[in-house]
Amino acid sequence: MVVPVNYYLGLSLALFTLGAIGVLIRRNILIILMCIEMMLNAVNLAFIGFADAFKAVDGQIFVFFVMTVAAAEVAVGLALVIAIYRNRATVYVDDLNILKW
Amino acid sequence: MEYLFYSLAAVALISGALVVFQTHPLRSALWLIVNFFAVAGLYLLAHAEFIAAIQIIVYAGAIMVLFLFVIMLLNLRQPEEELARPRLGLKIAGITVAVLSAVLIGMGLAKVVLKPVTELPVGLGNTESVARLLFTDYLLPFEVTSVLLLVAIVGSVVLAKAKLR
């Protein structure tokens, strides 16, 4: 009846890898932010799987905090995207090479 | 139960892959919403009803609406620009790094011996038990969270303001 915790961990690992691939190969900064969201979601899934396996609510509390941090990160990240777009008119990270010399 | 898990996992993985490999960020955002709903279903399967509701409200509601607003606001005209610069070697390198790190994490996880608890305490996962823990043991982190959100609000307003000086 109960799904084993290993299944949740495997799915979480797969989703995390997908997000990491997206962060590494995409150059659109919006898609990179979305992939970071997906990685955070994968971590949340692992937390929930463990919380279910150990019958402890603490894992769910941590998911709550991760969601808060994700919301703050998205707000600041998208404000940065808007500021960059206003200054450089681009959303592609390989156009932002001013720190590289 | 298992079939429900498998189908939700398949939806989550396929929509996640579509998020990564779409050309336009708008389509990625829409597939990411599908991904969030599938993960919310998985939370429901794991007896985390409150977190599932929060997932839909905060992620699929607030965060994705913010993403869609910004995508519309930037008014991107050339979604195919990224495809015009393929850089296949870098992509292969990125995928290799991600998969190898996943293998590393997986090997670490496989060594962990888990002894799951079988008996279910009363009312696990409902809002009451989450709230009780949140307002007793985790009260200080909960309050610090509000400071974090305030900092995020002020920071995003300052960053997105028209003139920075």
Side-chain angles (χ1 to χ4, degrees):
Chain A
M1 170 217 160
V2 179
V3 182
V5 62
N6 297 339
Y7 289 17
Y8 280 100
L9 288 183
L11 178 62
S12 165
L13 186 59
L15 275 178
F16 191 87
T17 311
L18 265 177
I21 288 175
V23 169
L24 288 173
I25 72 171
R26 295 308 299 259
R27 287 193 294 278
N28 191 323
I29 197 165
L30 289 162
I31 294 179
I32 289 178
L33 273 175
M34 285 183 221
C35 290
I36 292 174
E37 290 304 304
M38 209 158 74
M39 290 165 83
L40 286 169
N41 230 343
V43 174
N44 284 350
L45 193 62
F47 267 128
I48 293 285
F50 276 124
D52 189 38
F54 295 122
K55 304 284 180 267
V57 194
D58 300 59
Q60 301 186 14
I61 305 281
F62 273 93
V63 171
F64 184 80
F65 290 134
V66 170
M67 279 182 184
T68 318
V69 173
E73 172 240 321
V74 162
V76 176
L78 288 177
L80 275 172
V81 169
I82 289 177
I84 289 170
Y85 190 78
R86 190 175 287 133
N87 284 326
R88 308 286 300 267
T90 182
V91 288
Y92 296 100
V93 288
D94 50 355
D95 292 334
L96 306 172
N97 50 8
I98 199 164
L99 275 179
K100 196 166 71 181
W101 59 283
Chain B
M1 202 76 159
E2 297 243 317
Y3 290 112
L4 207 52
F5 178 86
Y6 284 134
S7 44
L8 282 172
V11 170
L13 285 176
I14 291 170
S15 57
L18 284 169
V19 170
V20 176
F21 296 111
Q22 287 288 335
T23 51
H24 200 282
L26 196 59
R27 293 186 187 161
S28 287
L30 293 178
W31 280 113
L32 192 56
I33 294 177
V34 176
N35 188 11
F36 285 161
F37 269 95
V39 174
L42 288 168
Y43 291 171
L44 278 182
L45 270 187
H47 311 286
E49 292 87 359
F50 175 67
I51 297 295
I54 292 292
Q55 164 92 0
I56 290 176
I57 293 170
V58 173
Y59 266 118
I63 292 183
M64 292 322 290
V65 166
L66 200 60
F67 261 112
L68 291 176
F69 265 127
V70 170
I71 291 170
M72 306 278 188
L73 197 67
L74 295 185
N75 196 11
L76 304 171
R77 288 177 198 286
Q78 59 286 42
E80 67 279 356
E81 190 189 340
E82 186 166 350
L83 294 179
R85 298 180 280 183
R87 294 198 186 169
L88 197 63
L90 281 183
K91 284 196 173 164
I92 292 171
I95 291 177
T96 312
V97 167
V99 170
L100 283 182
S101 61
V103 168
L104 213 63
I105 300 172
M107 279 165 61
L109 280 179
K111 285 190 178 164
V112 178
V113 181
L114 295 171
K115 283 180 281 184
V117 188
T118 43
E119 75 274 13
L120 193 73
V122 206
L124 173 81
N126 63 16
T127 314
E128 189 187 341
S129 56
V130 172
R132 179 160 293 138
L133 209 57
L134 196 60
F135 288 111
T136 53
D137 288 355
Y138 293 95
L139 184 61
L140 182 66
F142 180 71
E143 296 295 338
V144 172
T145 292
S146 62
V147 179
L148 173 74
L149 285 177
L150 180 68
V151 170
I153 291 169
V154 174
S156 46
V157 167
V158 168
L159 280 172
K161 233 169 61 174
K163 274 290 175 187
L164 272 178
R165 66 180 67 248

